[in-house]
Amino acid sequence: MSISPYELSIPTFQRGFTVLTKLLDKAEAFAEEKKIKTDVLVNARLSPDMLALAGQIQRLSDTAKGAASRLTGTDAPSFPDDETTLADLRTRIAKTVSYLATVPESAFEGAAERTVVLKSRGQDVTYTGKDYLLTFALPNFYFHLTTAYAILRHNGVPVGKLDFLGRT
Amino acid sequence: MSISPYELSIPTFQRGFTVLTKLLDKAEAFAEEKKIKTDVLVNARLSPDMLALAGQIQRLSDTAKGAASRLTGTDAPSFPDDETTLADLRTRIAKTVSYLATVPESAFEGAAERTVVLKSRGQDVTYTGKDYLLTFALPNFYFHLTTAYAILRHNGVPVGKLDFLGRT
């Protein structure tokens, strides 16, 4: 038995957003306990030239919906990246998860062989659906999810590896 | 066309170690330019209770060889986690990559249905091979690769997303 592009994308992304939601729950509880404004965490970053937590979540959303859209040849909704609060980010996550739920498994028929063209620094990069998923979408999704985790942990939020693995 | 457990593991891990090697090349060049001992980077971490760079690379190695071993029902070499320098870490990576190259695609026959049992905090967690790969091995692999990247970037090493995606 092999693994389908659907299984590797929609349920993987849904699981990731469930993990992220629990990380944000812990961040919110931490902020409340320490009397820190949650804005501080939303704007926290690991390096001055890296995206803050808000940006990591916006790119996580875009990676997931971009993959669902490109692998099925259908349109995904566009979100304007205007989230500035934890509540806004939760809404972004909810909108992303709602969209993912509308993409049926049947739409992934032939996804591995589909031609996917990405713009990267002004140049077109052409992938097969399979290569796009394995070498761009999945690494990028986990990159932003891990970086969101790392930003919170770096700032003292008591999250651990079992949270990241969705085993809590 | 679907995606095989082999494609999702061995080539994915090999690509990850190629990315990591280039990140370490940049770390070494940065340390030399700034006259920083590379030990500083090897022992850098994002939070006092998170693994340092060395530990992230050790766990990355273990995740890759554990997955290759468990999905094929064969033994992987054990490495003692005694790396203390960048050169040691490069040797650990080389040993891991050499081992991965010895695991043939044919050994992954039936991997998705194989029963995998992991010890986690003293308890057995039982997976199918497919669930182990999708919900443990791949997220964990990318977790440690991203965290290694984040540690370097947090410390000023000029690495970027294209390095992480292996497009440099």
Side-chain angles (χ1 to χ4, degrees):
Chain A
M1 185 170 65
S2 283
I3 297 165
S4 72
Y6 173 80
E7 289 174 291
L8 267 171
S9 49
I10 303 292
T12 295
F13 301 148
Q14 287 169 327
R15 203 164 40 241
F17 286 114
T18 299
V19 163
L20 178 62
T21 298
K22 290 191 180 172
L23 297 177
L24 296 183
D25 291 345
K26 289 203 171 184
E28 202 155 355
F30 171 83
E32 195 167 321
E33 183 198 330
K34 301 280 182 189
K35 316 238 179 285
I36 296 165
K37 286 190 179 145
T38 55
D39 285 9
V40 174
L41 296 174
V42 167
N43 295 309
R45 61 187 86 223
L46 294 175
S47 169
D49 61 352
M50 274 183 96
L51 293 170
L53 180 66
Q56 300 297 337
I57 294 175
Q58 288 159 351
R59 293 294 75 70
L60 190 73
S61 160
D62 283 356
T63 302
K65 64 192 182 63
S69 159
R70 292 185 184 108
L71 289 171
T72 61
T74 57
D75 288 335
S78 177
F79 301 138
D81 287 348
D82 55 4
E83 294 83 6
T84 59
T85 67
L86 210 54
D88 291 344
L89 290 170
R90 288 187 190 274
T91 302
R92 172 73 175 253
I93 293 167
K95 285 192 298 184
T96 307
V97 169
S98 292
Y99 159 66
L100 293 175
T102 67
V103 187
E105 185 161 1
S106 58
F108 281 78
E109 186 69 37
E113 296 79 26
R114 192 178 279 280
T115 298
V116 171
V117 182
L118 280 194
K119 281 265 176 231
S120 175
R121 319 268 154 134
Q123 293 204 309
D124 283 350
V125 184
T126 303
Y127 299 88
T128 60
K130 181 162 86 171
D131 284 348
Y132 163 71
L133 185 52
L134 296 189
T135 71
F136 181 86
L138 278 177
N140 211 44
F141 186 80
Y142 283 121
F143 178 92
H144 292 295
L145 185 60
T146 304
T147 306
Y149 170 100
I151 289 170
L152 294 177
R153 183 128 177 218
H154 179 65
N155 279 277
V157 178
V159 291
K161 174 64 87 62
L162 291 183
D163 294 312
F164 180 82
L165 291 172
R167 297 238 298 279
T168 52
Chain B
M1 186 172 64
S2 283
I3 297 166
S4 72
Y6 173 81
E7 289 174 292
L8 267 172
S9 48
I10 304 291
T12 296
F13 301 148
Q14 287 169 326
R15 202 164 41 241
F17 286 114
T18 300
V19 163
L20 178 62
T21 298
K22 290 191 180 172
L23 298 177
L24 295 183
D25 291 345
K26 290 204 170 181
E28 203 156 354
F30 171 82
E32 194 167 322
E33 184 198 330
K34 301 280 182 189
K35 315 237 180 287
I36 296 165
K37 286 189 180 147
T38 55
D39 287 8
V40 174
L41 296 174
V42 168
N43 295 309
R45 60 187 86 223
L46 294 175
S47 169
D49 61 351
M50 273 184 96
L51 293 171
L53 180 65
Q56 301 296 338
I57 294 175
Q58 288 159 351
R59 294 293 75 72
L60 190 73
S61 161
D62 282 356
T63 302
K65 65 193 181 66
S69 159
R70 293 186 184 107
L71 290 170
T72 61
T74 59
D75 288 335
S78 176
F79 302 138
D81 286 349
D82 56 3
E83 294 82 8
T84 59
T85 67
L86 210 54
D88 291 344
L89 291 170
R90 288 186 189 273
T91 302
R92 171 74 175 252
I93 294 167
K95 287 192 297 185
T96 308
V97 169
S98 291
Y99 159 66
L100 293 174
T102 67
V103 187
E105 185 161 359
S106 59
F108 281 79
E109 186 70 36
E113 296 81 25
R114 193 177 277 281
T115 298
V116 172
V117 181
L118 280 194
K119 281 265 177 231
S120 174
R121 319 266 155 137
Q123 293 203 309
D124 283 350
V125 185
T126 303
Y127 300 88
T128 61
K130 180 162 86 172
D131 284 347
Y132 163 71
L133 184 52
L134 296 189
T135 70
F136 181 86
L138 277 176
N140 212 43
F141 186 81
Y142 282 120
F143 178 91
H144 292 295
L145 186 60
T146 304
T147 306
Y149 170 100
I151 289 171
L152 294 176
R153 184 130 175 216
H154 178 64
N155 279 277
V157 177
V159 291
K161 174 64 88 60
L162 291 183
D163 295 311
F164 180 83
L165 291 172
R167 297 238 300 279
T168 51

